[in-house]
Amino acid sequence: MYRVLAACFILISISVVADDSVVDSERNRIIPIQLSFPSGRNSCSITSKCSVTFLSAGYGVPHTKYQFLGESFTKLGYLVVAIGHELADDPPLSVSGNLFETRSENWQRGSHTLRVVRSELRDKYPEFDFENLVLAGHSNGGDISAWLALESPAFVDKLITLDHRRVPIPRSDSIAVLSVRASDFEADDGVLPTKLEQALYESCILKIPNSRHNDISDLGPESLKSNIQHIVHRWLAKASCQL
């Protein structure tokens, strides 16, 4: 069985943040998570559920270092679940060979982790909607999110990636897609939809000029974080695809 360890709650201006863990006994993994509840949580109920975002960090970046992005979701009434995928005894991320093949174990493991967290939390927090998830992730976290969206699309409503580079974005009418691109690296061939596919599936691909892949976290420049916040907020609130 899976269980959730006790949480410590910290009140901040727009949400309540809880550092927590999910125990996956099947794989003998303790999965660190951070829950950011919207300030309007009292309006969420079983009959009027509030939305949920699963947020996956870039490789080597703590899952707690994307508060700037989490704020974009909590301001719109989302529960944000930031998930730590990499544990100390996990094999390192491959840096050689065909990376799509050599890194697939990491993405499969991460996708499984997202399903485990969903399974546990949907019972613990029935006032939130775990049947129509928003998956968001930076870099390798975006690859993990895209992998799950391709693998288990039934409970994925939206996919937001921040400069992920390896796993193809779903071409689907059922999953809305936003991919925010930095300007120092290109995605692998076939990862991003073509212009024709973007029009067909209404996916939104936006490149931020003079931005760097490694700056996309709380440690990055304020101008970049603010730009990403505005893009994500506008897209979620109005489905607007613009810088």
Side-chain angles (χ1 to χ4, degrees):
M1 294 181 61
Y2 306 123
R3 63 187 177 87
V4 177
L5 302 181
C8 175
F9 291 90
I10 306 169
L11 184 64
I12 61 176
S13 59
I14 61 170
S15 64
V16 172
V17 175
D19 291 312
D20 209 338
S21 299
V22 169
V23 175
D24 177 354
S25 57
E26 179 183 333
R27 297 183 299 166
N28 193 29
R29 293 178 70 84
I30 299 178
I31 303 164
I33 63 174
Q34 185 177 77
L35 300 158
S36 297
F37 294 92
S39 58
R41 181 184 179 185
N42 290 340
S43 64
C44 306
S45 68
I46 293 177
T47 57
S48 182
K49 297 187 178 187
C50 293
S51 298
V52 179
T53 297
F54 278 7
L55 179 55
S56 296
Y59 187 76
V61 183
H63 66 289
T64 57
K65 294 302 183 182
Y66 293 87
Q67 300 293 334
F68 83 97
L69 184 58
E71 290 176 5
S72 295
F73 293 104
T74 56
K75 285 179 180 178
L76 291 172
Y78 285 74
L79 165 64
V80 178
V81 185
I83 299 165
H85 288 281
E86 315 304 333
L87 304 184
D89 56 352
D90 287 340
L93 192 66
S94 172
V95 295
S96 62
N98 181 325
L99 294 182
F100 187 84
E101 294 178 355
T102 59
R103 292 185 178 183
S104 62
E105 183 276 335
N106 179 284
W107 303 328
Q108 291 168 355
R109 174 168 20 98
S111 176
H112 189 98
T113 291
L114 293 178
R115 290 197 301 273
V116 168
V117 172
R118 172 180 176 265
S119 178
E120 178 60 42
L121 296 187
R122 67 179 174 179
D123 294 329
K124 185 175 178 66
Y125 300 105
E127 71 274 26
F128 291 97
D129 184 4
F130 290 88
E131 303 305 320
N132 297 281
L133 289 176
V134 175
L135 302 180
H138 169 226
S139 191
N140 195 62
D143 287 319
I144 290 171
S145 301
W147 190 280
L148 179 61
L150 290 168
E151 191 176 59
S152 302
F155 55 79
V156 179
D157 184 56
K158 296 180 178 67
L159 172 66
I160 299 174
T161 73
L162 303 179
D163 211 40
H164 86 297
R165 298 168 58 196
R166 310 296 178 190
V167 178
I169 281 176
R171 276 68 163 171
S172 171
D173 292 321
S174 64
I175 300 177
V177 169
L178 167 66
S179 187
V180 180
R181 316 304 304 173
S183 53
D184 53 347
F185 296 108
E186 296 295 331
D188 290 351
D189 289 344
V191 169
L192 301 179
T194 64
K195 292 292 186 181
L196 181 60
E197 289 171 331
Q198 291 175 45
L200 181 61
Y201 298 112
E202 298 184 348
S203 49
C204 181
I205 314 298
L206 295 174
K207 179 179 285 190
I208 300 177
N210 304 314
S211 60
R212 299 197 312 161
H213 177 90
N214 288 340
D215 284 341
I216 302 176
S217 76
D218 286 342
L219 304 178
E222 292 299 324
S223 58
L224 177 59
K225 291 186 290 186
S226 178
N227 204 342
I228 293 172
Q229 284 179 318
H230 288 309
I231 290 171
V232 171
H233 188 97
R234 281 198 304 264
W235 187 77
L236 286 172
K238 301 176 182 178
S240 172
C241 181
Q242 57 181 315
L243 290 172

